[in-house]
Amino acid sequence: MDQILKKINNLKSNLKKWEYHYYALDNPLVSDVEYDMAMNELISLEKKYPKYITDDSPTKRVGGTVLEKFTKFKHDFPMLSLSDVFNYEELIKFDNDIKKTLVKFNKNIKYSYTVEPKIDGLSISLKYKDGKLIRALTRGDGEYGEDVTVNAKTIRSIPLNINTNLKEIEVRGEIFLSFKQFNVINDKISDKEKKFSNPRNAAAGSLRNLNSALTAQRNLEMIAYYLPNPNNLKELDINSQANVLTKLKELGFRTSAENQKCNSIEEVIDYIKFMTVNLSKMKFPIDGMVIKLNEMVLYDILGRTSKFPKWAVAYKFPPEIVKTKLKNIKATVGRTGRITYVAELEPVELSGSIISNATLHNADYINEKDIRVGDVVQIFKAGEIIPKVLKPVISERKENLPIFKPIITCPICSSLLEKQDKEVDQYCTNTSCPARILQSTVHFCEKKAMNIEELSEMNLTKLSDAKIINSIQDIYLFKDKKDYILKSDLKIKNKMFEKISTNIENSKQNSLEKLIFGLGIRHVGETTSKALAKHFKTMDNLSKATLLDLQKINDIGEVVAVSIIDYFKNENNIKLINDLKYFGINMEYKNTSNASEDDKKSPYYQKKFCITGSFDIPRSQIKKILEDKFDAYVSESVNTTTDYLIVGENAGSKQQKATKLGINIIKEKIWE
């Protein structure tokens, strides 16, 4: 063998071994100086002999590639969230719910839990082919993520190669910054520049930087915790989450030293208490603990809600609470006209951020808490994100502070506010209110709606102030105002203008469900929008739908149906839709399923399904196959609009209800 190639391979082998022991096992084999000398020697040799450079070389950790943008890819398996619990009573209820479900099938089923740190970072999904890292995707919206492979390769705790016989394997974990590295990064930022508010923001900014060399300098880390592909679990003979964590470590991934297996919910609670007391000793940020049922054979029996699995929860540590002075209460107007009250505060640091505003929800909330301007108030971050006023500190209240009185007119357009039956919120019902129009436009441009990048709330506010975009229709006149925009004080240069114009033009081709969601019809979310688009096919059909037509659709009740009908009774809304038609916006549902011509002839094509019982693959995977193969709609519940109920082992009450309603029951594996 060529002596140079032999030297290069020896250096690679040593560096990979040292990285694994240092980053995955926390057990350094050599000094930093020795590691750096070996790395520099390898860099030098690869520069001199470029024919020996390989994609899995440790030198790829250094970065240097500059990207124009991140490409989006669909996840092979959706990256879903967990439901949150905030106290031990909710954990006990979580355990009791599991017991109630399992007792229906086998009273002697025993189970345990794994408890893992909920790292405050960014979720990442790593795909390996023939043992080689080929793609790293961020969570994104859960369905589509951004390709950050180039940057992920700079993270030394992410193996570039793993020793496995599997053709493909997907590994999920969390990217984060240690407290020490966070401080190092902020110390390098001058006082004139904005520093990162917390490690999570710094990690996000570092991973999603277009210059991989900068990402490499930030020293991000990753801890692995999950294998989402059921085929991988079968191939590796894994049947528990504890086995997953062991296998990940064997493959060369770093796992958390704080992972713990518990045999009862009482042991779970005891361990959480231990972690709460020792939280200050953690070297990286965590905001809770993830509790997962250990035995995977039970996952399908327990199932999931429309959003979360029923076999896992995230326990959130009690939020940090700080005190500050309430300077003023102001009202804001949302896209539906809903009034939200906001507290203006004396700036105070909370969970790594400087807070000067916090939500007060509605007038009833303020009066129930007896919150007054001039009070010293307690604030915290709800869900670690949104600052919220908890309550006033009565012992520190000054005398004669006036009791809060709700506003009666819109703070923007001065229209009288209304309160609808059985609702606590006040509404501005003036559809021409400038604030409502702005927020409606912001919503219309959001990723889950028409996905017009660059038209963020901040940019739309500037464009609104400049009288360029003052309605949804104005978005599609943007290109016609090029000369005015480029000469204005908005600092929009030609390249940015063309990018915005291209995104606006691309939005015209969206499928109907994105437009329905973008219109902001009250009570109509993303899932309902898709169900409406698939059922009615065109905007014209939807606009003519009766109450009975709408209630035939799974999961659409009277409140939602009435809201849709009321929307299409409004002349301004009809004008908006007609204007959008004129601008060339697509008004039809685009079938994005992978249905073949034979699939389209199937009796299952575009039918409504419900799934119950346990199968040899997760129900979520069956749902995905039905949606792709048959363009089907899969509901969590059985009702008169359900066409088919797919039944697995240990089916329960849904089968009884389906039989009673005369719904077709399927026991065959129609997805294979």
Side-chain angles (χ1 to χ4, degrees), residues 421-437:
D421 291 343
K422 299 179 182 179
E423 293 197 12
V424 296
D425 293 308
Q426 298 168 284
Y427 283 86
C428 169
T429 57
N430 175 18
T431 55
S432 298
C433 174
R436 286 191 61 176
I437 291 170

Side-chain angles (χ1 to χ4, degrees), residues 227-282:
L227 293 172
N229 188 337
N231 291 330
N232 291 161
L233 298 173
K234 191 180 294 184
E235 291 163 332
L236 294 168
D237 195 25
I238 289 175
N239 55 20
S240 72
Q241 175 61 12
N243 291 158
V244 167
L245 297 171
T246 300
K247 176 54 70 174
L248 287 170
K249 198 165 184 177
E250 289 174 2
L251 290 171
F253 292 91
R254 176 182 176 187
T255 58
S256 175
E258 287 75 24
N259 292 338
Q260 182 84 0
K261 182 172 175 286
C262 298
N263 292 316
S264 67
I265 200 67
E266 290 75 23
E267 285 187 22
V268 170
I269 291 171
D270 285 343
Y271 187 58
I272 289 174
K273 288 178 179 177
F274 169 81
M275 287 297 296
T276 304
V277 172
N278 290 279
L279 196 56
S280 61
K281 297 177 183 177
M282 293 295 293

Side-chain angles (χ1 to χ4, degrees), residues 101 105 230 298-305 310-311 610-626 634-636 646-652 654 671:
T101 303
F105 306 115
L298 304 178
Y299 287 7
D300 274 344
I301 294 174
L302 292 166
R304 51 175 293 111
T305 67
K310 293 181 180 179
W311 42 264
C610 182
I611 307 169
T612 188
S614 58
F615 303 84
D616 55 2
I617 63 172
R619 289 207 295 253
S620 59
Q621 192 173 346
I622 298 173
K623 177 182 176 182
K624 184 177 184 300
I625 293 170
L626 292 173
V634 183
S635 174
E636 294 295 322
I646 295 179
V647 174
E649 293 182 13
N650 302 315
K654 287 180 183 177
W671 53 89

Side-chain angles (χ1 to χ4, degrees), residues 204-243:
S206 301
L207 182 64
R208 297 188 69 256
N209 195 288
L210 293 173
N211 184 349
S212 63
L214 179 61
T215 305
Q217 294 169 16
R218 294 284 173 80
N219 290 324
L220 294 168
E221 301 177 55
M222 189 200 83
I223 281 179
Y225 55 73
Y226 186 49
L227 293 172
N229 188 337
N231 291 330
N232 291 161
L233 298 173
K234 191 180 294 184
E235 291 163 332
L236 294 168
D237 195 25
I238 289 175
N239 55 20
S240 72
Q241 175 61 12
N243 291 158

Side-chain angles (χ1 to χ4, degrees), residues 17 30 47 100 160 306 360 382 392 466 544 554 568 580 631 635 648:
K17 180 173 68 174
V30 295
K47 281 183 179 179
K100 287 176 185 176
L160 300 179
S306 60
L360 285 162
K544 297 171 186 173
N554 269 5
F568 287 106
L580 293 177
D631 191 27
S635 174

Side-chain angles (χ1 to χ4, degrees), residues 325-330 342-346 356-358 360:
K325 185 176 180 180
L326 174 60
K327 294 162 57 179
N328 192 22
I329 296 175
K330 63 180 181 181
V342 177
E344 293 184 344
L345 308 165
E346 284 190 355
S356 55
N357 292 292
L360 285 162

